[in-house]
Amino acid sequence: MPRKKGSGKPYRFKKRKVKSGEIYYVMFKAMPGKWISTGTDDPDKAETWAANFEVTVQPSEQMTMKEFTENFFISGKCMWLRRMNAKGKSFTDRHLAKMRGNLENYIWPEFGNLVLSAIRQRDIDDYLIDLKSVRDNTIPLKADAKNKVIITLRHIMREAVAQGLIERDPTEGIVWFKDAEESEREVFTPDELKKLFPASLDDLVGIWGTLEWAAYFMIMGSCGLRPQEVGALTWGKWSRTMHGLAITHKIDPDSKKRVKGTKTGYSKAVALPRRAEELLLLHEATSEKTDPDDLIFTPKEAAGGIQSDTSNKHFKAACKRAGVDRGDRTQYNLRHSFNTYALQILDRKEVQSLMGHRTDAMTNRYDHPTDQQLIERIPQGVCGKIEQLWQ
């Protein structure tokens, strides 16, 4: 093992666990408290690396993660945040608090004392693979939560690149995590949809809590819209004569403001089924603000526009009241359901247009037919034509 402090050398070592085993990190007396990866688990190679290393970098390049991010994501103190705001990118206090939490709970404990230039992509990947929840260190952190840690770290590293502290963002090329145990049922069955959207208006309102929420989710489910798109709808986007909605905006999850452009950057139009339009008419009759620029959906608990996490809480509660075991499915699976069932009766290009997809591949990703549904999609007359091959 490499010689430790007290050996007369101007550095000392410690091992850090990674997926493949353990790697030696070295701390130089000239850079106290700052650990640098030697990139090897071989003690002799680590000793050689440290002996040949010359501490000739500038003080700014010796900055640790914790020193650099001391004020990150804090309004009024964070230079990165000030620059983002100046460019028109705003963040809610809640979102900033979540990123700050990722920094303090997950990034600092592992990388806080490391020099920024010593943090490598492999270090980040190995750390995230076995990362546990800060609330319960026996529970693996979910894929979505790990991805948010990556996003938080990416903001930091890109700022370090912009300030000339590092040459390259080590988060580049990191593959996003995907839940290992995804729900086998990506769509809601027809019976489940009937439970969520019963024919009786009283029953429907009972499931969703209010007429407004019933109309909100009916439009989401029957038009295949994203939650952010439904939340950004204004009364002026609804054509009563053409029975459709123009989808040109979304609610930005990082801001309470509406922003131009959908997720893909393209506008689209969707057709309103009769029942969804009837609910809209009822909701309009009881709404206080119905000017063309007013948001259609403005429940008290969603001031400034409905955010996805707010509507998903209502969705979970509605599933419970309807007796639907949703498993890992969320409100977004209504969009998958629409895509899947629409392909049973519409041309693929028509579905692609309604979904706002730019490619067939994306429409296919949202398609989750059963074996029977796949067989039912065989075009009429194909069996007869195939029969001719064997005559």
Side-chain angles (χ1 to χ4, degrees):
M1 179 176 178
R3 282 163 285 193
K4 296 185 177 181
K5 188 176 181 180
S7 63
K9 299 292 183 180
Y11 48 78
R12 65 189 180 95
F13 294 90
K14 76 172 181 179
K15 280 187 174 181
R16 296 172 66 89
K17 290 183 178 181
V18 296
K19 184 182 178 183
S20 57
E22 294 181 320
I23 293 291
Y24 283 108
Y25 278 71
V26 62
M27 181 195 294
F28 293 89
K29 289 182 179 179
M31 301 168 63
K34 302 174 183 181
W35 293 96
I36 302 176
S37 172
T38 66
T40 180
D41 60 355
D42 185 289
D44 293 331
K45 290 182 179 180
E47 184 77 45
T48 300
W49 188 94
N52 293 332
F53 184 86
E54 294 183 5
V55 186
T56 59
V57 295
Q58 298 299 314
S60 62
E61 296 174 317
Q62 299 175 10
M63 186 174 291
T64 64
M65 169 64 73
K66 193 164 186 178
E67 289 171 339
F68 179 62
T69 57
E70 192 65 36
N71 295 319
F72 239 83
F73 309 120
I74 299 177
S75 296
K77 295 183 178 181
C78 178
M79 182 61 68
W80 169 82
L81 182 59
R82 189 181 307 172
R83 183 159 42 254
M84 292 298 103
N85 289 339
K87 293 181 178 181
K89 182 69 172 177
S90 60
F91 299 88
T92 62
D93 291 340
R94 181 177 181 181
H95 189 67
L96 289 174
K98 287 182 178 179
M99 290 194 289
R100 183 71 186 185
N102 286 334
L103 175 62
E104 295 178 358
N105 295 324
Y106 298 111
I107 297 174
W108 277 357
E110 180 69 11
F111 304 109
N113 291 329
L114 292 183
V115 177
L116 284 171
S117 58
I119 300 173
R120 304 177 306 166
Q121 178 180 325
R122 178 64 180 272
D123 298 328
I124 299 170
D125 251 340
D126 288 343
Y127 170 60
L128 290 174
I129 286 173
D130 298 318
L131 191 58
K132 303 294 193 299
S133 170
V134 71
R135 296 180 181 178
D136 187 341
N137 60 14
T138 65
I139 300 176
L141 199 64
K142 290 185 177 181
D144 182 60
K146 289 181 180 180
N147 289 336
K148 288 177 180 176
V149 173
I150 294 174
I151 292 171
T152 301
L153 192 54
R154 182 161 293 172
H155 287 319
I156 293 168
M157 289 305 191
R158 286 180 175 176
E159 179 64 11
V161 172
Q163 293 189 24
L165 300 179
I166 57 176
E167 294 184 359
R168 180 178 175 275
D169 170 14
T171 67
E172 289 183 6
I174 288 183
V175 178
W176 298 108
F177 286 87
K178 187 175 182 181
D179 284 317
E181 296 181 0
E182 292 187 342
S183 171
E184 293 182 0
R185 297 180 297 169
E186 290 288 345
V187 300
F188 289 93
T189 67
D191 286 341
E192 288 174 328
L193 291 175
K194 288 179 181 178
K195 290 180 179 179
L196 287 170
F197 301 100
S200 165
L201 179 60
D202 289 340
D203 292 342
L204 182 68
V205 173
I207 293 295
W208 296 103
T210 66
L211 174 64
E212 184 171 12
W213 279 113
Y216 175 94
F217 282 103
M218 176 65 77
I219 289 176
M220 185 188 299
S222 63
C223 297
L225 295 179
R226 300 178 178 89
Q228 299 94 330
E229 293 170 345
V230 183
L233 285 172
T234 58
W235 292 107
K237 301 297 181 183
W238 173 24
S239 171
R240 293 157 179 77
T241 56
M242 299 296 293
H243 310 292
L245 295 167
I247 310 302
T248 60
H249 294 73
K250 70 173 182 179
I251 293 290
D252 188 343
D254 295 336
S255 171
K256 292 181 179 179
K257 299 178 181 179
R258 294 198 305 278
V259 293
K260 286 187 177 181
T262 59
K263 180 180 178 180
T264 59
Y266 295 92
S267 298
K268 62 180 179 180
V270 295
L272 268 176
R274 177 184 56 79
R275 194 173 176 209
E277 195 159 39
E278 288 175 350
L279 284 175
L280 262 187
L281 287 168
L282 291 173
H283 172 49
E284 181 184 33
T286 59
S287 297
E288 296 180 359
K289 296 182 178 181
T290 56
D291 289 339
D293 291 334
D294 288 332
L295 288 173
I296 292 178
F297 301 108
T298 56
K300 294 180 180 179
E301 64 270 44
I306 298 176
Q307 300 289 337
S308 296
D309 55 353
T310 299
S311 57
N312 205 43
K313 289 178 182 177
H314 282 269
F315 179 75
K316 292 177 181 178
C319 286
K320 188 174 182 179
R321 286 191 289 264
V324 172
D325 180 10
R326 62 179 183 83
D328 294 328
R329 294 173 295 179
T330 68
Q331 60 185 347
Y332 208 86
N333 290 86
L334 290 175
R335 178 169 162 81
H336 285 256
S337 302
F338 173 84
N339 188 108
T340 300
Y341 297 130
L343 283 171
Q344 299 295 112
I345 56 176
L346 300 176
D347 179 77
R348 181 168 291 272
K349 290 296 182 182
E350 292 174 327
V351 176
Q352 187 174 323
S353 174
L354 293 172
M355 293 288 288
H357 292 156
R358 310 310 299 176
T359 64
D360 287 334
M362 183 59 70
T363 302
N364 291 338
R365 284 182 59 186
Y366 280 75
D367 188 19
H368 312 282
T370 63
D371 292 345
Q372 182 61 33
Q373 288 170 338
L374 279 174
I375 294 172
E376 290 173 353
R377 291 181 184 179
I378 298 174
Q380 269 190 329
V382 166
C383 289
K385 293 178 182 178
I386 293 297
E387 188 68 28
Q388 295 176 20
L389 294 176
W390 301 97
Q391 291 180 353

